[in-house]
Amino acid sequence: MEQTTMNIPVLALRGLTVFPGQNAGFDVEREISMLALNNAMEEGKEILLVTQRELAVTYPDEEDLYTLGTIGRVLQIIKTSDSSVRVLVHGQDKGRIRRLWQTRPFLQANVVKVEDDFPGKMTRRIEAIMRQTYAIFGEYREMVPDLPDEVIAKVLDCQDPGELANYIGYSVNLRPQDRQRILEELNPVKRLKLVNEILTHELDVISLEVEMEKKVRDRVGRVQKDMILREQVKVLQHELGEDGDDEIQEYSEKVQKLNVSEEIREKLMKEVSRLAKQPYGSAEASVIRNYLDTCLEMPWGKETKERADVEKARAMLDKDHYGLTKVKERILEYIAVRQIHPQAKGKIICLVGPPGVGKTSIAISVAKAMNRKLYRISLGGVRDEADIRGHRKTYIGAMPGRIIDGLIHSGSMNPLLVLDEIDKMASDMRGDPASALLEVLDSEQNSSFRDHFLEIPVDLSRVMFITTANTTDTIPRPLLDRMEVIELGSYTDEEKVEIARQHLIPKQLKEHGLQKRQLSISDDALRSIISGYTRESGVRILERKIAAICRKAAMKIATEGVKKIAVTPADIKEFLGVVQYTDSEHMRQNEVGVVNGLAWTQVGGEILEVEVNVMDGTGKLELTGNLGTVMQESAKTALSCLRSRAGELGIEKDFYKTKDIHIHFPEGAVPKDGPSAGIAITTAMLSALTGKKVRKDVAMTGEVTLRGRVLPIGGLKEKTMAALRNGIETVIIPRENEKNLEEIDQTVRRKLRFVPVSRVEEVFSEALVSEGKKTAAQPEEMPLLAVQSCTARPDLRV
């Protein structure tokens, strides 16, 4: 029950709570607190002792104080220094602040007394709670042995639940918030329950502290024991003449012998000094040893004597590889420069081409030709920057990056490092490895490359880098700009025959333990294998098929007593089974609305037809055949091109309103995309609309524009080989691609007639037959780029 309001000074306490019935002593330093004490002493007043919510507040306001405190009387003030006094107060009653009406020069408030609720008579329930309190307090006393005996005695002697709660709350080391909760609880029994909860929580916290302290003490004891034992071992070794400092001396001597700059030597000697100060078995000592061992493994100053002889290199490249004239020429040019200027910086060459054409094996041959150590680094799937630059040596399991690892394994500072599958790198939250390669693959910057693990400059300018990729599309532009790109195209069938005869067959005969006289494969048989059992740009599958023939031959020789086996085209089915691939279907006679298109895939060129049907309708344009966005746009462009020339081409001017046009590319399971089917679609559409037939012996490739211009395309070499393989006689190509005929195999150039065009009118005059019955036709397909297939054929790009 609240009583009459009193106007008394207020003393704000920081981190302290005074309970009724308790004497409390504390130091006072703040001016507002001293003035409040003086006022209470001079006027003979009581004073409200209330706790601050935040300790850091120097001049508290009403919102900075709890509303409930203890009304007390000052018993004694002792001056302890010029700026502080020691105060002894006695708590009398609880008091609640109604209004803090003064904050300067000291706090003064309107306060009312607050009485506790009547606890009622002592019941068994209250007695049980008090016994629980004694038990919990007993556990607390055991955990905190420095608790004064008088406190223990008074707690055990107290029979009133409210007073017991007050005394424990004041005497035990609790948080200010918990003490305030105890003070504000007016029901004595509930207050005692609250004290039990708080004491139980304190016991849990103290037990954890004791447990952790014990663990720390045990660990420190073990470490100290290990240190003492190791020091004793060192002393014994010293007495026996086996000084433990031999390791440090050995490291120092090795560092001094290194052929490195003073900067690197100074850095390594600092690490040796740090190692000397570490306990032998410490984690830091292991890190430093690992670092020093890695640095000492580096081939500082070691280089192989380069063989810069163009003729010897030419002979070696020709021996290992058939064809690839452009690539060999560029490699020999580089070797010629090294022959004239041996101190020239290393170059970065990027070999780009489809799988199996010999990119990695060329790099190996270059290393042998130049007498350089070789180390191959596979970058396929690498997505962590640390794979290139290494980890900081402080991490557990840290190691240098793959570049430094390549130098260590090659044992030379001028090796040839092959960065394989550079187009297959990825990036994620661990970094971008392609960006980390920017410094490595720049001969102007890599003379002081710093690996995160080594943290010292490493000269990579003498290293020759050869990278390989299947495509440049996924290589970041800044990285691609640092490399000289050399493209390796698909092998022609004749080149594959020569490669098989000169390299693959001898290799497989040796691997299968066969002699040349025991097995022979004719050139015609090789051509049958290439056309019927492989579909690739390179020769990997061809080599596997030859290996299969060698196994079958070995079986016959071992089990049937056959002395010699000669494989001819007629025998291929017996050795390899049913033919897996057949030539692409194309027109066998002049037809309306059907055009032979030329496509490029990752495994070579293809012939694919474009079919167009024209039917009475409302002007709908239907596109089928699993076409990509670019190819669909190309068909719409072809339609607009014809509409704009309807009169001069002999087409009904309102055909786009009265006719439905369906354009289809056969092999609908194979995705197709690209713009180079443009002139094929346009020609097939015109043929279907006019009824003029298309020549069966003509194939074409080229992008078309709305104005009827024919734009250049890619993959001409592969497309022309497909035309020759399928019996095509005339190939229509964009005039701007005429310069690319120089790169085409001479056999192909002799057997095909090429017609360069710059406008669609030239295409029509060459491809369409003047007479013919008007029929519905279907669109031709023009494959262009790469493919995924569910029919054993790669995706097509037109």
Side-chain angles (χ1 to χ4, degrees):
M1 181 179 71
E2 298 187 354
Q3 300 177 353
T4 309
T5 302
M6 300 182 294
N7 183 22
I8 58 176
V10 176
L11 180 60
L13 303 176
R14 292 195 280 198
L16 177 66
T17 303
V18 177
F19 288 85
Q22 306 297 328
N23 289 339
F26 49 85
D27 293 326
V28 174
E29 293 182 351
R30 286 185 291 184
E31 184 181 359
I32 59 171
S33 300
M34 289 186 178
L35 291 175
L37 288 171
N38 291 337
N39 181 266
M41 290 289 289
E42 291 172 2
E43 301 292 333
K45 296 180 182 178
E46 296 170 322
I47 187 169
L48 180 66
L49 307 166
V50 63
T51 306
Q52 284 185 203
R53 296 180 185 273
E54 299 291 339
L55 300 181
V57 179
T58 304
Y59 297 100
D61 209 337
E62 188 168 352
E63 61 270 13
D64 299 318
L65 304 173
Y66 288 106
T67 56
L68 188 70
T70 300
I71 300 172
R73 188 168 297 278
V74 180
L75 301 179
Q76 188 178 37
I77 298 178
I78 301 173
K79 187 172 183 180
T80 56
S81 69
D82 293 340
S83 60
S84 65
V85 295
R86 180 74 179 174
V87 181
L88 180 65
V89 297
H90 176 71
Q92 295 177 332
D93 301 290
K94 295 181 181 179
R96 188 183 306 279
I97 298 176
R98 281 194 177 277
R99 184 171 70 91
L100 185 69
W101 61 271
Q102 176 180 304
T103 57
R104 294 294 181 88
F106 57 87
L107 303 180
Q108 197 158 201
N110 295 328
V111 179
V112 294
K113 289 184 179 180
V114 179
E115 294 183 357
D116 283 346
D117 297 339
F118 181 65
K121 65 179 182 178
M122 179 66 69
T123 63
R124 293 181 178 178
R125 178 180 178 81
I126 296 175
E127 185 176 355
I129 294 172
M130 292 185 67
R131 288 187 179 183
Q132 183 186 33
T133 304
Y134 296 147
I136 296 173
F137 186 78
E139 293 180 25
Y140 182 85
R141 181 185 63 183
E142 292 178 2
M143 302 288 274
V144 186
D146 56 348
L147 205 63
D149 291 340
E150 57 268 22
V151 172
I152 299 169
K154 191 166 183 178
V155 167
L156 296 176
D157 191 50
C158 186
Q159 299 299 318
D160 182 84
E163 290 181 6
L164 178 60
N166 288 347
Y167 187 73
I168 292 176
Y170 173 74
S171 304
V172 173
N173 185 20
L174 302 178
R175 297 182 303 168
Q177 298 92 322
D178 292 334
R179 284 178 171 166
Q180 186 66 31
R181 287 169 58 201
I182 295 171
L183 179 67
E184 291 181 355
E185 180 55 64
L186 301 182
N187 187 303
V189 178
K190 290 183 179 179
R191 189 188 313 153
L192 191 59
K193 286 182 180 179
L194 179 61
V195 167
N196 289 349
E197 292 176 8
I198 294 173
L199 274 181
T200 303
H201 173 74
E202 286 294 315
L203 281 173
D204 292 340
V205 173
I206 292 172
S207 0
L208 284 175
E209 288 178 350
V210 170
E211 183 180 349
M212 286 189 291
E213 184 181 359
K214 183 176 182 299
K215 287 182 179 179
V216 171
R217 198 163 40 242
D218 291 344
R219 182 172 297 177
V220 170
R222 286 197 301 270
V223 172
Q224 289 177 338
K225 179 181 177 182
D226 288 347
M227 290 179 62
I228 292 171
L229 290 175
R230 293 190 184 282
E231 289 300 323
Q232 289 175 343
V233 169
K234 287 184 179 180
V235 171
L236 291 173
Q237 287 177 335
H238 181 70
E239 293 295 329
L240 294 171
E242 301 174 358
D243 201 336
D245 292 335
D246 286 350
E247 180 188 37
I248 304 302
Q249 182 65 28
E250 183 180 351
Y251 275 127
S252 300
E253 291 176 358
K254 287 182 178 179
V255 171
Q256 294 298 335
K257 291 178 182 178
L258 291 179
N259 183 15
V260 293
S261 65
E262 283 303 317
E263 176 189 0
I264 297 175
R265 182 174 286 105
E266 183 179 344
K267 164 72 176 173
L268 296 180
M269 288 306 298
K270 283 183 179 179
E271 294 296 326
V272 173
S273 300
R274 287 182 57 209
L275 177 62
K277 299 174 184 176
Q278 302 296 324
Y280 183 83
S282 68
E284 181 69 14
S286 298
V287 170
I288 298 174
R289 283 191 191 90
N290 181 37
Y291 174 76
L292 288 173
D293 290 341
T294 303
C295 290
L296 292 172
E297 286 178 357
M298 284 286 293
W300 302 107
K302 297 178 182 178
E303 294 186 0
T304 55
K305 186 177 181 182
E306 191 171 76
R307 184 194 300 122
D309 189 315
V310 175
E311 292 307 319
K312 288 184 180 179
R314 188 195 306 276
M316 191 167 295
L317 289 174
D318 288 340
K319 177 184 176 184
D320 293 343
H321 298 86
Y322 177 82
L324 304 176
T325 307
K326 286 181 60 180
V327 181
K328 293 178 181 177
E329 188 176 315
R330 177 61 189 90
I331 298 293
L332 293 173
E333 288 173 358
Y334 171 75
I335 294 175
V337 172
R338 302 289 296 185
Q339 184 174 337
I340 298 172
H341 181 31
Q343 300 304 316
K345 293 182 178 179
K347 297 297 180 183
I348 294 91
I349 296 173
C350 181
L351 303 179
V352 179
V357 296
K359 299 183 295 295
T360 305
S361 61
I362 283 177
I364 295 172
S365 297
V366 171
K368 288 194 297 183
M370 299 184 68
N371 191 36
R372 283 185 182 238
K373 300 284 189 177
L374 176 74
Y375 187 75
R376 178 180 169 273
I377 300 171
S378 178
L379 298 179
V382 170
R383 58 181 66 246
D384 190 348
E385 179 192 354
D387 277 344
I388 306 299
R389 285 191 171 272
H391 304 78
R392 298 289 180 190
K393 66 175 181 289
T394 51
Y395 293 135
I396 295 175
M399 62 183 68
R402 297 194 182 197
I403 304 299
I404 298 300
D405 191 53
L407 294 180
I408 292 173
H409 280 82
S410 66
S412 168
M413 294 300 285
N414 68 334
L416 190 153
L417 296 185
V418 180
L419 306 182
D420 227 352
E421 309 294 353
I422 197 172
D423 57 324
K424 305 298 191 303
M425 286 190 299
S427 61
D428 60 10
M429 73 284 188
R430 289 171 289 188
D432 182 6
S435 298
L437 277 176
L438 291 178
E439 180 187 0
V440 176
L441 300 182
D442 190 339
S443 54
E444 300 299 325
Q445 300 180 28
N446 61 11
S447 58
S448 57
F449 172 73
R450 287 182 182 266
D451 185 271
H452 287 162
F453 182 85
L454 296 186
E455 297 177 335
I456 50 180
V458 178
D459 186 3
L460 300 180
S461 62
R462 301 283 293 166
V463 178
M464 182 177 181
F465 292 96
I466 294 183
T467 67
T468 70
N470 296 131
T471 175
T472 58
D473 295 344
T474 56
I475 302 176
R477 294 300 102 181
L479 183 59
L480 188 63
D481 184 59
R482 284 163 164 75
M483 302 183 290
E484 180 177 348
V485 176
I486 301 177
E487 294 189 1
L488 285 75
S490 305
Y491 290 121
T492 65
D493 288 356
E494 290 305 314
E495 286 177 332
K496 291 180 181 179
V497 170
E498 290 297 324
I499 292 171
R501 189 161 53 81
Q502 297 181 23
H503 300 284
L504 303 184
I505 294 177
K507 176 183 175 184
Q508 291 303 321
L509 287 176
K510 182 178 179 181
E511 289 187 1
H512 290 82
L514 298 173
Q515 303 294 325
K516 289 184 180 180
R517 56 182 173 79
Q518 293 178 301
L519 175 64
S520 63
I521 304 176
S522 69
D523 289 354
D524 289 338
L526 288 173
R527 293 187 183 93
S528 298
I529 298 171
I530 292 167
S531 61
Y533 295 87
T534 69
R535 178 161 285 168
E536 58 177 342
S537 298
V539 291
R540 282 183 182 151
I541 299 177
L542 176 59
E543 184 174 7
R544 286 200 287 270
K545 297 300 179 183
I546 293 172
I549 292 175
C550 290
R551 290 195 299 272
K552 296 281 187 182
M555 174 67 78
K556 286 179 176 291
I557 293 171
T559 60
E560 299 177 13
V562 179
K563 300 296 183 182
K564 182 179 181 181
I565 298 175
V567 181
T568 64
D571 304 320
I572 295 299
K573 188 172 181 180
E574 177 188 352
F575 284 91
L576 298 180
V578 180
V579 174
Q580 298 177 13
Y581 304 105
T582 57
D583 291 341
S584 303
E585 289 295 326
H586 66 284
M587 293 187 297
R588 301 304 179 186
Q589 60 184 5
N590 297 344
E591 294 186 32
V592 175
V594 183
V595 176
N596 290 322
L598 294 174
W600 179 91
T601 74
Q602 286 183 338
V603 296
E606 294 286 347
I607 289 282
L608 288 177
E609 293 180 351
V610 183
E611 301 178 349
V612 176
N613 265 353
V614 176
M615 302 151 286
D616 293 335
T618 58
K620 294 179 182 177
L621 177 64
E622 188 75 21
L623 302 173
T624 56
N626 202 350
L627 309 184
T629 304
V630 176
M631 186 173 277
Q632 295 179 32
E633 292 176 351
S634 184
K636 295 174 183 177
T637 303
L639 178 61
S640 297
C641 178
L642 291 180
R643 281 184 59 184
S644 65
R645 293 167 172 73
E648 57 190 76
L649 294 175
I651 308 173
E652 298 176 10
K653 292 189 177 180
D654 61 346
F655 77 91
Y656 62 90
K657 297 180 182 178
T658 61
K659 302 292 183 183
D660 286 347
I661 300 176
H662 186 165
I663 303 175
H664 177 66
F665 289 76
E667 299 191 49
V670 181
K672 311 170 188 74
D673 202 3
S676 67
I679 62 173
I681 297 173
T682 309
T683 304
M685 203 180 297
L686 178 61
S687 170
L689 289 169
T690 61
K692 294 181 179 180
K693 293 185 177 181
V694 182
R695 289 173 53 188
K696 65 179 181 180
D697 61 343
V698 172
M700 59 187 72
T701 177
E703 180 181 353
V704 72
T705 71
L706 291 173
R707 304 298 180 189
R709 291 184 295 122
V710 180
L711 301 183
I713 47 80
L716 185 63
K717 178 181 178 182
E718 289 79 5
K719 292 177 180 179
T720 54
M721 284 192 290
L724 176 64
R725 190 168 56 244
N726 287 275
I728 299 296
E729 298 176 1
T730 302
V731 178
I732 300 175
I733 64 172
R735 191 171 299 279
E736 292 186 39
N737 282 115
E738 192 173 4
K739 60 182 181 296
N740 300 119
L741 294 177
E742 298 292 333
E743 302 173 2
I744 294 176
D745 186 79
Q746 291 301 315
T747 305
V748 177
R749 291 189 64 181
R750 284 195 302 268
K751 294 184 178 181
L752 292 179
R753 172 173 167 261
F754 293 96
V755 181
V757 296
S758 56
R759 300 196 58 80
V760 290
E761 290 82 2
E762 301 173 61
V763 179
F764 300 152
S765 64
E766 181 67 33
L768 296 178
V769 180
S770 57
E771 306 109 3
K773 185 179 177 180
K774 185 174 182 179
T775 62
Q778 300 165 326
E780 168 220 49
E781 156 187 312
M782 191 115 189
L784 292 178
L785 294 176
V787 200
Q788 327 165 343
S789 164
C790 18
T791 59
R793 173 181 296 201
D795 298 348
L796 302 173
R797 297 281 296 212
V798 185

